[in-house]
Amino acid sequence: MTSAPIPAEVFGALAGTRPTPRGTRTLRAAVHARRMLLLKSLLVRTDRQRRLLGPAAHGEFERAWTLLAAAERTDPAAVREVLDYPTTGAWLAAALAAPRGAAFERQLAHLGGVAAAAAVRAGHAVAGTLAVPTGLLVLPGLGVLRCPSGLARLEGGPDGTRIADGDGHTGTVLPHPTGRRGPGVLQGAGGGTGWSALRTLPGGTVRLDDLDPYRAPPPGTVPGQLRVADRTDSPWEAWAAPWRRARELLTAVDGPRAAETGALLHAVVPLAAAGPGATPMSATLRSAPGAALVQLPDTARELAESLVHETHHTKLAALDELVPLCAPGGRPVHRVGWRPDLRPAPAVLQGAYAHLALTDLWWRVRTGAGAAPAWRRRAGERFEVLRAEVGQALSLLLESDELTPAGREFVQGMERHHAGLGVTAQNAL
C-alpha cells in the first residue's frame, strides 16, 4: 500500500518518528499548503460577505491584501516564513470561525499586520497607512507596536521600514533583514518607543514568542488551563541557558532529532509557571503547528524531552493535513497509560506518536555514550514504563475500526519501530 502524496519511504520514516531531511521538507510543505488554503478561504469568505462588511473594513482588507501580494513578488521565501509562522495559522482559524459582522471585521484587521511583516521580511518598499482598531499592531514573528491612535503609518527607506503610530507617539525602524542587533533579538527587530520585538533563542531562528495575542488558545477551546506567560514573566535570560543546554543534550545523543526540532519549530510560547510540585505542562495547538507551548521545567533534559514531544505533535498535525489517519467523529472511549481521562482515537494516536518519539529518545540516552549520567538514570527509569504504555495504545488503535487505511499503515509502521526498540534495547543491556 502506498500513501500518496507522500512517498512510501518518507511515510515509513515518519511512522517510526525518525527524522529525515525529506520528511522535514514534506511536513513544511504540508503546513504551507494548508496555510495557503486557509488564506484563500478567507479571501473567498470576504468576497462573498462584502455587502455585510463596512466599507472601511473592506477597503483596509483590500489594501493589506495588495501589500501582501506585492511583498510576495519581491521575496516569496520571506513572505512564506510569515505566512507559515504558527500564530498566522491560529489567526486564520479564528477569522474563518468568527461570526458575521463586527467579530469578523475585527479578525480581518489583523491581515494588515501580516502584510506589514511580510513587507519588512521581504525588504519590499512600502508607503501608506494601516488601520489598527485594537491599538496594537501585531507583526507575526517580529513583534508588536502600540498604536493608540488606531492607525499605523509605514514608510520604506534605504535602511529599512519605519512603522509609527498615526499620531507619532510610538514608532520603530525595522532594518532590512541583513543581520542581528545583539543577543536575543530577531534579525531586523529594531527598537523604538512603544515597540516590543520578539527575541530569538540561541543557536537558530526559533522565537521566544511572549507577545502575539494569537499564541494562546481561544477561551474554552481546550480542556484545562493553558495560561500563557507575558513578557514580565518570561525573561529571555531564564530561557536562553536551558534552551542552549537542551539543544546540546539532544545533539549529543541524537543529532538528527536536534536538527529536526530546530527545523520544524518556529516558536516557543512560554506558559505561566506551574505551581509547587506540579508537573510542567506543554502543548501544541492544531491550528498553530510549529509552536511549542511550554512551562519552563526545572532541568534542561526535561526541556529537551518537551521539545521532542511537541515537535511530534506538530509533525502529526502537518501529516494529517496530507493524509487523514483517523475517521472523523470519534468518541472519547479509550484509556491510555499517560492520561487519566478517556480519549478519542485521534488523541490516542497523537499521544502514542509523541510518546513513541520519547521512547526512541530514551533508548538512545540509555544505550548511547553521549548522555549525562543523570539523564541516563532517568531514561532507564522511564523507558520500560513508557514503552509498555505506547505498546498498549498501539494495540488499541489497531484493534479499533477508527483508522483510515493510511492510518492503519502508519500505526503498523509505528508498531514495527516500537518492537525494534524493544529487541535492540534487550540486546544492548
Side-chain angles (χ1 to χ4, degrees):
M1 181 185 297
T2 60
S3 300
I6 302 177
E9 63 272 20
V10 174
F11 193 72
L14 288 171
T17 78
R18 291 305 304 159
T20 66
R22 287 187 69 189
T24 296
R25 290 194 298 270
T26 297
L27 295 175
R28 287 177 65 99
V31 169
H32 184 65
R34 174 66 174 172
R35 208 55 56 83
M36 295 303 295
L37 177 63
L38 292 178
L39 191 63
K40 291 175 182 177
S41 297
L42 185 67
L43 179 63
V44 170
R45 181 182 176 184
T46 303
D47 184 62
R48 288 177 176 173
Q49 297 182 12
R50 180 170 184 169
R51 295 179 181 177
L52 301 176
L53 296 173
H58 192 269
E60 288 291 338
F61 178 84
E62 287 190 330
R63 282 190 288 276
W65 188 274
T66 299
L67 176 58
L68 182 64
E72 197 275 339
R73 289 192 294 271
T74 300
D75 189 338
V79 175
R80 177 172 178 159
E81 288 297 316
V82 176
L83 295 179
D84 293 356
Y85 190 71
T87 59
T88 304
W91 159 65
L92 284 166
L96 290 169
R100 296 180 178 183
F104 184 50
E105 287 191 10
R106 285 194 297 271
Q107 295 290 350
L108 280 185
H110 185 67
L111 181 65
V114 173
V120 170
R121 291 289 295 268
H124 174 73
V126 58
T129 61
L130 293 173
V132 189
T134 64
L136 189 71
L137 180 65
V138 180
L139 307 182
L142 291 176
V144 300
L145 177 70
R146 294 195 304 275
C147 294
S149 73
L151 190 71
R153 300 187 184 280
L154 285 69
E155 183 178 359
D159 298 324
T161 303
R162 176 169 177 77
I163 303 179
D165 175 53
D167 287 344
H169 297 301
T170 63
T172 184
V173 176
L174 300 179
H176 296 315
T178 56
R180 295 172 60 101
R181 285 191 167 191
V185 180
L186 181 67
Q187 67 171 27
T193 303
W195 168 251
S196 297
L198 291 184
R199 298 159 297 176
T200 303
L201 291 162
T205 60
V206 179
R207 283 70 154 169
L208 184 67
D209 197 331
D210 48 8
L211 296 174
D212 197 303
Y214 288 95
R215 72 192 188 278
T221 59
V222 296
Q225 294 295 319
L226 280 180
R227 291 194 305 110
V228 294
D230 59 26
R231 174 142 299 185
T232 59
D233 297 322
S234 55
W236 183 81
E237 295 79 6
W239 281 88
W243 170 267
R244 184 184 293 109
R245 180 59 179 151
R247 296 275 297 165
E248 291 171 351
L249 290 172
L250 269 182
T251 300
V253 299
D254 194 345
R257 204 173 286 289
E260 178 187 65
T261 300
L264 291 178
L265 287 185
H266 297 274
V268 168
V269 175
L271 293 176
T279 301
M281 295 176 59
S282 64
T284 296
L285 305 182
R286 183 176 176 85
S287 63
L293 285 68
V294 181
Q295 286 174 332
L296 185 62
D298 293 332
T299 65
R301 64 178 180 272
E302 290 175 290
L303 179 57
E305 292 164 6
S306 291
L307 295 175
V308 170
H309 186 107
E310 299 308 326
T311 297
H312 282 76
H313 284 320
T314 278
K315 288 170 68 173
L316 203 57
L319 178 64
D320 200 44
E321 296 295 346
L322 286 176
V323 184
L325 302 176
C326 290
R331 295 182 296 112
V333 296
H334 305 295
R335 193 172 299 280
V336 293
W338 51 83
R339 292 278 300 241
D341 53 336
L342 296 176
R343 310 292 286 157
V348 175
L349 179 55
Q350 277 280 357
Y353 190 60
H355 285 94
L356 177 59
L358 281 180
T359 305
D360 178 279
L361 175 67
W362 278 332
W363 169 68
R364 292 167 194 279
V365 171
R366 187 187 191 191
T367 60
W375 202 11
R376 188 174 293 112
R377 286 193 298 272
R378 174 176 166 80
E381 295 166 358
R382 291 295 298 149
F383 175 81
E384 293 295 348
V385 172
L386 195 58
R387 179 172 171 267
E389 292 176 348
V390 171
Q392 181 267 337
L394 294 176
S395 296
L396 183 155
L397 287 167
L398 290 172
E399 290 166 4
S400 78
D401 59 358
E402 299 175 85
L403 297 174
T404 64
R408 184 164 295 277
E409 179 186 356
F410 190 78
V411 174
Q412 288 170 343
M414 291 172 64
E415 188 179 51
R416 286 192 294 272
H417 186 65
H418 175 265
L421 284 176
V423 170
T424 309
Q426 293 293 332
N427 292 341
L429 295 177

